[in-house]
Amino acid sequence: MLAGDMQLMADAPDPGIGMTSRRTRERLIVRLKEAGIDSAEVLDVMRDLPRHLFVDEALASRAYEDSALPIGRGQTISQPYTVARMTQALLERVRPDTVLEIGTGSGFQTAVLASLVRRVYSVERLQELLERAQARLRAIKKRNVRFRYGDGAQGWLEYAPYQGIMVTAAPRGVPRVLAEQLAPGGVMVLPMGEETQQVLVRLTRLEQGFEHEILEAASFVPLLSGTS
Ligand code: SAH
């Protein structure tokens, strides 16, 4: 099939039944609304992005269920609700121009952010996952993302400070290095705590010091140190 044909199919008003059908995606959006996601722009982005391209083909038929799925190397693509909730929490108060993401994973959260802010910087410690995520973002033509292979616990000093930081793996507490790469007024959303007792936290950098809010319970893979 020619690339042009694929484009036509993607643009068709209703691709019909199956995993990419409008109805399947709409069901997920209804579920997200019921779960309390009320940002129209976040819901629109979640509706438009092809999540089935961010998981293995064998799991593609489950891509529009509201669940986390394995992406290899013991990691998971986050549950759609979690992606929506964290994105909403990050964008609720200020509109960040630049966002640093720690834990690229499948690249799905990266794609959500890239649809909503000017530039995203994303760090991943597993080369294999990073390369796959990069290819996916290229395939869906999100060009406003810079990737880095490295230990995200160190942040990415070169482009700091960031108006937004999103962490998608859980440290025990707030990593000071990351907090210091936040611009004044900037917001960081992160899960933290021990594996069985995590919470989602929003940290805001004030002119002096930080303010933090606990949003809800969370369940993420741990933030590990170093690369592999
Ligand atoms: N948002 C991603 C979540 C992936 S799971 C998605 O929805 O696909 C969390 C990711 O964080 C994993 O890919 C894991 O390898 C990565 N990670 C864990 N510790 C890290 C660290 N110190 N630096 C960078 N990435 C890290």
Side-chain angles (χ1 to χ4, degrees):
M1 188 190 288
L2 297 170
D5 293 342
M6 291 186 64
Q7 191 56 41
L8 267 179
M9 282 183 67
D11 289 339
D14 189 340
I17 51 168
M19 67 198 177
T20 62
S21 83
R22 193 163 282 190
R23 208 183 303 162
T24 309
R25 295 190 191 194
E26 201 53 47
R27 237 190 335 257
L28 173 62
I29 300 309
V30 168
R31 197 189 141 95
L32 295 178
K33 283 185 192 164
E34 283 168 1
I37 306 301
D38 54 16
S39 159
E41 58 176 359
V42 170
L43 291 168
D44 284 347
V45 168
M46 297 289 298
R47 183 187 288 111
D48 290 345
L49 280 178
R51 190 169 183 260
H52 62 281
L53 300 181
F54 290 77
V55 297
D56 283 348
E57 251 173 83
L59 292 170
S61 63
R62 300 186 52 200
Y64 298 95
E65 290 173 13
D66 191 18
S67 50
L69 294 168
I71 54 170
R73 303 290 307 267
Q75 308 302 319
T76 53
I77 178 172
S78 302
Q79 184 187 351
Y81 167 76
T82 306
V83 172
R85 181 72 184 92
M86 289 179 81
T87 307
Q88 185 166 296
L90 189 74
L91 304 183
E92 225 155 41
R93 295 195 180 153
V94 283
R95 171 49 50 114
D97 190 46
T98 55
V99 172
L100 171 67
E101 178 191 40
I102 306 302
T104 316
S106 67
F108 183 71
Q109 172 76 75
T110 321
V112 171
L113 291 170
S115 307
L116 293 163
V117 306
R118 189 180 62 81
R119 188 168 281 283
V120 181
Y121 298 89
S122 188
V123 185
E124 169 60 54
R125 66 181 286 280
L126 297 175
Q127 181 90 48
E128 188 186 329
L129 296 187
L130 184 66
E131 283 171 11
R132 263 187 263 160
Q134 261 175 307
R136 290 174 182 132
L137 272 284
R138 257 198 310 272
I140 62 164
K141 300 188 166 52
K142 297 286 175 202
R143 300 194 178 89
N144 54 337
V145 184
R146 285 199 189 178
F147 294 95
R148 179 183 188 181
Y149 168 58
D151 179 3
Q154 303 308 313
W156 192 347
L157 200 52
E158 192 179 351
Y159 299 102
Y162 304 93
Q163 288 156 356
I165 299 181
M166 181 173 292
V167 186
T168 68
R172 295 258 166 94
V174 179
R176 172 185 286 267
V177 180
L178 287 183
E180 282 169 356
Q181 290 181 21
L182 210 50
V187 173
M188 169 154 59
V189 176
L190 76 163
M192 60 182 239
E194 307 295 327
E195 219 147 328
T196 50
Q197 267 199 330
Q198 296 170 5
V199 284
L200 199 58
V201 173
R202 174 162 60 189
L203 188 83
T204 305
R205 184 165 204 170
L206 309 173
E207 284 306 323
Q208 287 188 350
F210 294 88
E211 169 194 87
H212 81 272
E213 301 152 79
I214 293 177
L215 303 176
E216 58 191 58
S219 175
F220 281 78
V221 296
L223 186 81
L224 301 173
S225 58
T227 53
S228 117

